[in-house]
C-alpha cells in the first residue's frame, strides 16, 4: 500500500505546574507526553492508536493536525511536513476532537456554511455536500436549530460533518464514539468505513478494543508515550485477543520501567 502519513521520531514534552506535579505524584517538572514515536498510515486504510488514558494519543493527534509543534521529529502528509508547511497540511486534513466546542448561538446550517467558506469550498459544491451529509446524519431536520438546543449525539454529528466539509484526504478522529449512544456510535463507525472505501486515510485514537477490532486495518499500541507495537491487527494480537495482548504488552512495558 502507498504511505499517506509518515510520522518519524515524534517527541513532545510539557512543563508541569506544582498542582500538576501533585496530580502526577512526581517531582519531575517536565512530563514526556510522546517519546520517539514513529508509524505509517497508508492511503485507503483506518489506522488505530490504542492506549489507556494519558498514553499520549491525543498529543500525537494534535501534532499531526499541526495544533501543537513537536519538540523533535516530524510527520509527512503525502510528503508535506507538519513542521515546515503546516498550512498546506491543514488544507488536506479533517480533525475531530472532543475538545471541539460548538457555539451555542449558531445553527448547523450556519456552521457548515461558515467552515465551507473558511476552507474555500466552491458554494455549489458546498451546497451539494451539505445536502448529502445532513441527510446521512439526520441533521437536515435540525438544520435551523441552535446548537444549545441539540442533543449530545446531534452535536457530535454536526461536529463530525463540519470537520469534513472540505472532503479532506486524511481524517483524524480523537475518541470518535466517546460518550455517544449506541445508535449515534453506529452512524459514526459506518461513516468511517465509508471513508475508507472512498480511499481516504483515517487515523483514530481510542481505548476501546472492540472499536479497533471492528474498524482498523492496522493498529499502534501506545503506552506512556511510546509505541510498543505497530502492525496489522492479527500480527499485533499474535494469536491472542486484542484485550489480552494489550495487557500483556502493558505489563511488559511497566516492568521495563521499574
Amino acid at each position: 500500500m502507498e504511505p499517506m502519513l509518515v510520522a518519524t521520531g515524534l517527541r513532545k514534552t510539557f512543563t508541569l505546574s506544582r498542582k500538576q506535579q501533585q496530580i502526577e505524584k512526581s517531582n519531575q517538572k517536565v512530563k514526556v507526553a510522546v517519546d520517539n514515536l514513529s508509524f505509517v498510515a497508508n492511503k485507503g486504510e483506518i489506522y488505530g492508536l490504542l492506549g489507556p488514558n494519558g498514553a499520549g494519543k491525543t498529543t500525537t493527534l494534535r501534532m499531526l493536525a499541526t495544533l501543537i509543534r513537536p519538540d523533535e521529529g516530524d510527520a509527512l502528509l503525502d510528503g508535506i511536513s507538519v513542521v515546515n508547511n503546516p498550512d498546506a497540511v491543514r488544507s488536506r486534513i479533517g480533525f475531530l476532537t472532543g475538545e471541539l466546542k460548538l457555539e451555542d448561538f449558531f445553527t448547523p446550517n450556519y456552521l457548515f456554511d461558515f467552515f465551507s467558506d473558511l476552507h474555500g469550498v466552491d458554494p455549489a459544491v458546498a451546497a451539494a455536500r451539505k445536502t448529502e451529509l445532513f441527510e446521512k446524519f439526520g441533521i437536515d431536520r435540525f438544520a435551523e436549530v441552535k446548537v444549545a438546543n441539540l442533543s449530545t449525539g446531534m452535536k457530535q454529528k454536526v461536529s463530525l460533518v463540519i470537520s469534513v466539509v472540505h472532503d479532506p484526504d486524511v481524517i483524524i478522529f480523537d475518541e470518535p464514539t466517546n460518550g455517544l449512544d449506541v445508535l449515534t456510535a453506529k452512524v459514526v463507525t459506518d461513516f468511517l468505513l465509508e471513508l475508507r472505501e472512498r480511499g481516504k486515510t483515517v487515523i483514530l485514537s481510542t481505548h476501546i478494543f472492540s472499536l479497533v477490532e471492528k474498524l482498523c486495518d492496522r493498529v499502534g499500541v501506545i503506552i506512556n508515550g511510546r509505541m510498543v507495537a505497530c502492525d496489522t491487527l492479527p500480527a499485533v494480537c499474535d494469536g491472542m485477543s486484542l484485550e489480552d495482548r494489550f495487557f500483556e504488552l502493558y505489563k511488559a512495558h511497566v516492568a521495563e520501567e521499574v
Side-chain angles (χ1 to χ4, degrees), residues 100-118:
L100 176 61
K101 305 301 181 185
L102 303 177
E103 176 57 54
D104 284 346
F105 180 78
F106 297 123
T107 66
N109 252 340
Y110 176 86
L111 289 169
F112 191 96
D113 292 344
F114 174 82
F115 282 98
S116 293
D117 185 60
L118 191 66

Side-chain angles (χ1 to χ4, degrees), residues 16 19 39 44 54 80 86 102 134 141 154 156 166 179 189 226 245 247:
L16 299 178
K19 184 175 181 180
F39 70 94
I80 306 171
L102 303 177
F134 276 29
R141 293 176 296 154
M154 187 56 64
Q156 180 77 340
H166 53 310
T189 55
R226 298 178 183 175
R245 178 59 173 152
F247 284 109

Side-chain angles (χ1 to χ4, degrees), residues 16-251:
L16 299 178
S17 65
R18 288 185 178 180
K19 184 175 181 180
Q20 288 172 322
Q21 290 180 54
Q22 292 174 351
I23 294 174
E24 293 280 338
K25 298 180 180 179
S26 171
N27 293 323
Q28 300 294 325
K29 294 183 179 181
V30 175
K31 177 180 175 61
V32 180
V34 176
D35 189 5
N36 193 32
L37 190 143
S38 301
F39 70 94
V40 176
N42 297 313
K43 291 184 178 180
E45 78 171 6
I46 299 178
Y47 184 95
L49 289 174
L50 175 67
N53 291 337
K57 302 187 303 296
T58 295
T59 299
T60 299
L61 297 191
R62 288 171 66 84
M63 285 190 285
L64 299 179
T66 74
L67 296 180
I68 57 176
R69 186 183 179 92
D71 298 332
E72 299 176 14
D74 199 354
L76 302 180
L77 188 149
D78 204 15
I80 306 171
S81 167
V82 302
V83 173
N84 298 323
N85 201 353
D87 289 341
V89 170
R90 290 177 195 134
S91 69
R92 298 186 60 183
I93 64 170
F95 183 43
L96 177 63
T97 171
E99 296 178 0
L100 176 61
K101 305 301 181 185
L102 303 177
E103 176 57 54
D104 284 346
F105 180 78
F106 297 123
T107 66
N109 252 340
Y110 176 86
L111 289 169
F112 191 96
D113 292 344
F114 174 82
F115 282 98
S116 293
D117 185 60
L118 191 66
H119 283 287
V121 181
D122 179 87
V125 173
R129 188 157 175 76
K130 182 202 291 188
T131 298
E132 175 193 354
L133 292 172
F134 276 29
E135 288 181 357
K136 181 185 297 292
F137 289 98
I139 301 173
D140 45 354
R141 293 176 296 154
F142 303 91
E144 289 299 336
V145 177
K146 291 182 179 180
V147 167
N149 298 321
L150 296 177
S151 67
T152 299
M154 187 56 64
K155 289 178 182 178
Q156 180 77 340
K157 291 178 184 178
V158 174
S159 297
L160 190 155
V161 165
I162 287 172
S163 71
V164 296
V165 292
H166 53 310
D167 196 22
D169 298 313
V170 176
I171 303 94
I172 301 172
F173 290 138
D174 190 8
E175 303 285 358
T177 61
N178 196 30
L180 300 182
D181 64 82
V182 291
L183 295 178
T184 304
K186 178 67 164 57
V187 173
V188 172
T189 55
D190 285 350
F191 183 61
L192 298 184
L193 291 171
E194 180 184 323
L195 289 172
R196 180 177 65 184
E197 291 175 3
R198 292 175 51 205
K200 304 294 185 180
T201 300
V202 178
I203 301 172
L204 63 87
S205 76
T206 184
H207 60 274
I208 304 174
F209 300 114
S210 60
L211 189 65
V212 173
E213 291 170 327
K214 178 179 180 180
L215 295 179
C216 297
D217 301 289
R218 293 191 304 122
V219 58
V221 179
I222 300 181
I223 298 173
N224 292 338
R226 298 178 183 175
M227 186 75 78
V228 299
C230 180
D231 210 324
T232 63
L233 191 58
V236 168
C237 290
D238 194 25
M240 305 170 66
S241 71
L242 179 59
E243 182 175 3
D244 288 343
R245 178 59 173 152
F246 172 82
F247 284 109
E248 181 181 75
L249 290 167
Y250 184 82
K251 290 177 182 178

